[in-house]
Amino acid sequence: MTKPRHSILGSLLIVMSAAVAIGFITGQVAWCLAIAAIAWSLYQIRQFDRLIQWLQGENDSEPPESFGHWGDLFDELSRQQKRQRSREDYLRNIISRFQQSSAALHDAVVIIDRDNNLEWWNRAADRLIGLRAASDRGKPVMNLLRDPRFIRYFKKGSYAEPLQLPSPVNSDIQLQYLITEFGEGDRLLVARDITRLTKLEQTRQDFVANASHELRTPLTVIRGYLETYLEQDLPSPLTRGLQQMQQQSRRMENLVSDLLLLSRLEASQQISDEHPIQIHSMLQHIYEDAVELGREKGHQFQLEMDDGYDLLGQEIELHSAFSNLVFNAVRYTPADGEIRIRWWVDKEGGHFSVQDNGIGIDSIHIPRLTERFYRVDESRSSSSGGTGLGLAIVKHVLARHGAHLTIKSKSGQGSTFACHFPHEMVTAARLARLEDDDDDFDDDFSDDQQDSVA
Ligand code: ADP
């Protein structure tokens, strides 16, 4: 604010001094003073009225003309009004540019408040997820995006990985949802149209699946011939060569079947049908296979399982994931090692872990271990008979079950690979089993009844 050039007291003194001077000339000092005081007051009231009228009137009209301290006041108010107007214009401009740019975005952007209600979204959100500006504002996001997979992802609260789902308005459009937290519990949801990328990925997967499938038949033929030749009495250099060929073709067969499994797993992000799995008997079988595999090395095994907890999922896939982890422990642990297999349930969910005191892994390799064909030590992995796809399979199986893998390892000090399943998968398995038991009971009961009727 600029300093006022005139003061009220100053103008009053000038008017009163003039009144006194005229009073002396006319000999009517008291009258002149009284008239001057009344005139001065009326002038102040008039200026005050003009100020009120101006403030109440059109905001962008020029302030009334005045002089003295009223002139100062009008000038200052006018300056502040202009400053305010230019600030408003600037903000309006920013908002309109933000609206224009967000409307031009191809990705849907949605702001969700801390109570999970929709606060704002751009035009692409109408098109891609079907949010309607007129009626959906303030509604809970989970009432509008009802896919159980989205609800599970949204409720999970950790959004490191994006979620891929078909659009709720057009199932031909594939969307990738990504949530970022900001402010105090608010979230920014971005949904990207990845239909083209998904199609390319699908083509790649189909190619791998077809190529692997096509490789199976020639491999079976080669192995068949090799087996026949090896049954014959051949010179030893030839036998050695044939044995090596047989070993390599077996490896190739494993590779082809792992590739096929991986491409099947990649085909969808979620398991389509889930059943309660008897974890106890599954782990008992894997344990027995591992003991057999590690017999030559003389490993010591421990199997610890919490009683009475099963898991909901796809048995073949989980068997493959768990056995991959256990067999890796056998392969990458030198003779007389210790391997501990555990299944336990706590308030966070169900957990399966395999701990060994084998060769371990340097920490720089750990983030990349689940990549296809990533190997810490190429020569050692190949000689161990691995395909380089085991941990990639584990990762995909777990993702399809809403679970995740953790790896703790130190070079030379052994490793612990653990799979963590959401609590719902354990409780749902228990409920499903109770229902099955009830159904069995009902069936038995009705059979009994029929028997007795018969
Ligand atoms: P592979 O078929 O080569 O075993 P995986 O995907 O199963 O492929 O494992 C990737 C790499 O991770 C392996 O090559 C190995 O170097 C390392 N690895 C896996 N499990 C263990 C383990 N228990 N101890 C040490 N290294 C391991």
Side-chain angles (χ1 to χ4, degrees):
M1 184 163 169
T2 48
K3 212 171 166 199
R5 284 173 292 132
H6 307 91
S7 74
I8 303 179
L9 199 61
S11 69
L12 184 63
L13 278 177
I14 293 170
V15 171
M16 289 306 159
S17 316
V20 169
I22 296 169
F24 274 122
I25 295 166
T26 57
Q28 298 290 335
V29 176
W31 275 106
C32 285
L33 268 176
I35 291 167
I38 291 167
W40 193 84
S41 304
L42 286 175
Y43 175 74
Q44 302 306 318
I45 291 167
R46 166 89 187 112
Q47 295 304 317
F48 188 71
D49 278 351
R50 290 174 79 198
L51 172 66
I52 297 287
Q53 272 171 19
W54 177 63
L55 289 177
Q56 286 175 343
E58 281 291 308
N59 251 357
D60 39 359
S61 65
E62 282 297 312
E65 280 297 322
S66 192
F67 57 87
H69 60 274
W70 285 104
D72 288 352
L73 179 64
F74 287 140
D75 287 350
E76 183 57 32
L77 285 173
S78 165
R79 254 194 305 277
Q80 290 212 0
Q81 198 185 40
K82 280 186 188 139
R83 226 175 288 145
Q84 173 80 6
R85 219 175 290 141
S86 82
R87 217 174 292 147
E88 274 173 18
D89 286 348
Y90 174 71
L91 286 176
R92 209 171 292 130
N93 198 20
I94 288 188
I95 291 173
S96 105
R97 282 184 70 76
F98 173 74
Q99 279 174 338
Q100 278 170 8
S101 57
S102 67
L105 271 179
H106 294 294
D107 299 342
V109 182
V110 184
I111 294 180
I112 301 163
D113 68 18
R114 72 176 81 165
D115 301 318
N116 300 336
N117 297 327
L118 296 168
E119 195 173 302
W120 175 91
W121 56 91
N122 66 348
R123 210 179 293 156
D126 296 1
R127 185 170 48 83
L128 294 175
I129 30 188
L131 300 182
R132 282 148 309 171
S135 51
D136 292 340
R137 200 170 305 277
K139 284 194 180 160
V141 61
M142 283 180 276
N143 283 10
L144 297 158
L145 295 171
R146 288 160 174 264
D147 191 309
R149 290 166 288 182
F150 178 82
I151 294 179
R152 218 181 289 170
Y153 175 70
F154 188 76
K155 280 186 176 166
K156 203 164 72 174
S158 69
Y159 309 116
E161 291 288 320
L163 171 75
Q164 191 179 324
L165 283 181
S167 155
V169 284
N170 180 354
S171 55
D172 289 339
I173 299 178
Q174 281 294 323
L175 294 180
Q176 186 185 58
Y177 292 95
L178 197 65
I179 297 179
T180 313
E181 288 169 293
F182 72 98
E184 287 173 16
D186 303 289
R187 273 142 300 169
L188 185 75
L189 169 81
V190 178
R192 276 181 95 183
D193 181 351
I194 51 158
T195 315
R196 213 175 76 83
L197 274 179
T198 318
K199 281 196 180 130
L200 282 175
E201 178 61 15
Q202 188 61 49
T203 316
R204 184 193 65 78
Q205 283 171 16
D206 289 350
F207 172 77
V208 175
N210 292 338
S212 319
H213 192 75
E214 292 302 321
L215 280 170
R216 265 190 158 173
T217 322
L219 264 175
T220 318
V221 175
I222 293 171
R223 279 201 58 192
Y225 276 113
L226 286 173
E227 262 163 38
T228 320
Y229 292 147
L230 277 168
E231 278 162 15
Q232 315 208 346
D233 204 9
L234 296 171
S236 67
L238 203 59
T239 311
R240 254 202 318 278
L242 288 173
Q243 274 167 346
Q244 266 191 16
M245 284 163 79
Q246 192 184 39
Q247 193 192 342
Q248 291 303 322
S249 64
R250 202 172 294 142
R251 212 180 129 209
M252 220 164 145
E253 248 180 3
N254 290 341
L255 189 63
V256 166
S257 65
D258 272 3
L259 273 173
L260 271 173
L261 174 61
L262 201 54
S263 60
R264 264 203 301 275
L265 294 175
E266 283 175 335
S268 90
Q269 283 196 325
Q270 298 276 320
I271 43 173
S272 49
D273 51 337
E274 41 194 29
H275 306 282
I277 297 161
Q278 295 187 0
I279 285 286
H280 275 234
S281 70
M282 179 196 275
L283 293 187
Q284 187 63 38
H285 282 131
I286 295 176
Y287 166 80
E288 283 161 16
D289 290 346
V291 171
E292 192 51 43
L293 185 71
R295 191 173 299 284
E296 275 180 21
K297 285 183 163 179
H299 290 326
Q300 299 240 326
F301 287 88
Q302 275 181 58
L303 176 63
E304 296 164 20
M305 297 186 274
D306 269 1
D307 273 335
Y309 290 106
D310 286 339
L311 188 62
L312 204 63
Q314 262 279 338
E315 183 149 9
I316 299 177
E317 290 184 20
L318 288 174
H319 185 280
S320 167
F322 292 170
S323 55
N324 258 311
L325 294 179
V326 176
F327 298 163
N328 270 352
V330 176
R331 284 201 219 109
Y332 299 110
T333 303
D336 301 323
E338 283 168 20
I339 294 169
R340 184 177 178 212
I341 303 165
R342 283 182 71 205
W343 163 250
W344 77 101
V345 175
D346 59 19
K347 62 181 185 331
E348 269 135 44
H351 313 269
F352 166 79
S353 79
V354 185
Q355 188 181 356
D356 64 57
N357 63 350
I359 59 171
I361 306 157
D362 197 284
S363 59
I364 56 160
H365 297 291
I366 292 179
R368 299 195 57 194
L369 278 188
T370 55
E371 285 174 23
R372 269 165 261 187
F373 300 115
Y374 186 84
R375 279 151 162 174
V376 174
D377 181 341
E378 187 66 40
S379 56
R380 193 158 15 193
S381 300
S382 309
S383 64
S384 72
T387 59
L389 294 172
L391 293 180
I393 290 175
V394 173
K395 183 181 144 183
H396 275 86
V397 168
L398 296 187
R400 281 162 57 84
H401 285 77
H404 67 279
L405 176 73
T406 54
I407 305 171
K408 277 192 205 151
S409 189
K410 264 197 180 153
S411 191
Q413 292 182 24
S415 318
T416 305
F417 288 76
C419 311
H420 308 279
F421 294 85
H423 214 280
E424 308 93 81
M425 308 287 276
V426 180
T427 42
R430 176 174 283 207
L431 285 177
R433 188 164 295 287
L434 286 176
E435 275 167 22
D436 277 358
D437 290 350
D438 274 357
D439 286 349
D440 289 350
F441 175 75
D442 289 346
D443 289 348
D444 292 350
F445 184 63
S446 51
D447 284 351
D448 288 352
Q449 275 187 333
Q450 277 175 12
D451 283 351
S452 58
V453 170

